Each structure stands twice: as structure tokens, then as C-alpha cells.
Amino acid sequence: MSDDSMASQAVRQVLSSIGFTEAENADLLVEVGFSVRPKELKIAATGEGGEPKILSPSAGKMPRLCRERAFVLNVAFVSMSSGEVSSRSGATMIRCEADHEVVLDQLAQTALAASD
């Protein structure tokens, strides 16, 4: 794992529950990114042909009496031999208020299910 943050711990627990183990000489490095951002913000990256690729679209409008936030978790599996990203996935959840531990567990399960 790339660090020891709450997000990495959530991903580590889900990976462990499906049979993955950590090792010093592992073939893959797991990188985890987590952020809380305004829900209107879109996150994009440059695609293969130079065109923008939306990684996390802005959330749809819903009437709420709170300040909504988008909780975003990204997971990448990186080959230790070549440094290439072999798989990348992520999940976004919109909430008014949320305990990060609960949100991170749900996001980790969703992101890792998407990487199958």
C-alpha cells in the first residue's frame, strides 16, 4: 500500500477480505487517493488521444437543506516492475454529513468491485 491513511486502511481491509495479502516483494503497488470536494466540481484527466476524460462527473442537483460534499476515492494498481498502471478505478458518494470511516468502507468496496 502507498500510505497508512484512513482511505488506505479501508482499501486494505476490503482487499484483505477478498484474499489479497501484503508482501515486500509484491508485483503490484496499490495507490489510494481520497478527497472531499464541492459536489459541483468535475475531475478530468487527459485521455489517450489528448481529449479530456471525466474521472468524476459533477453530481446531479437535489433539493437539500445541507451543504453537500462529494467524497471521492481512487485506487490504482501499479506494476512494480514497469511502473505502469495496470488497473484504475474509483467511486464517488454525495453526502451532507458523513463519518469518514463509514464512507471510506463503502467507497473502497465500490471502487474495488469496479476494478474486477
Side-chain angles (χ1 to χ4, degrees):
M1 297 291 295
S2 56
D3 62 44
D4 212 22
S5 67
M6 284 177 56
S8 290
Q9 289 298 330
V11 170
R12 181 179 275 115
Q13 287 176 354
V14 172
L15 287 173
S16 178
S17 73
I18 58 176
F20 282 84
T21 58
E22 290 186 65
E24 292 277 328
N25 60 348
D27 293 335
L28 295 172
L29 169 70
V30 179
E31 292 189 351
V32 177
F34 175 68
S35 67
V36 180
R37 62 172 172 80
K39 70 178 184 121
E40 296 83 13
L41 181 68
K42 288 183 188 174
I43 299 174
T46 303
E48 291 180 12
E51 72 285 349
K53 176 182 177 185
I54 301 296
L55 299 177
S56 180
S58 60
K61 294 188 180 211
M62 295 179 66
R64 297 278 180 135
L65 299 174
C66 69
R67 187 175 185 179
E68 292 182 322
R69 296 282 184 210
F71 295 84
V72 182
L73 178 77
N74 293 301
V75 179
F77 292 88
V78 181
S79 169
M80 293 296 284
S81 59
S82 68
E84 304 250 338
V85 175
S86 59
S87 174
R88 182 185 310 271
S89 64
T92 302
M93 181 183 298
I94 306 302
R95 291 278 177 98
C96 290
E97 300 284 330
D99 178 5
H100 283 188
E101 287 185 36
V102 172
V103 169
L104 285 167
D105 180 57
Q106 293 173 359
L107 288 171
Q109 289 182 36
T110 302
L112 292 168
S115 68
D116 289 340

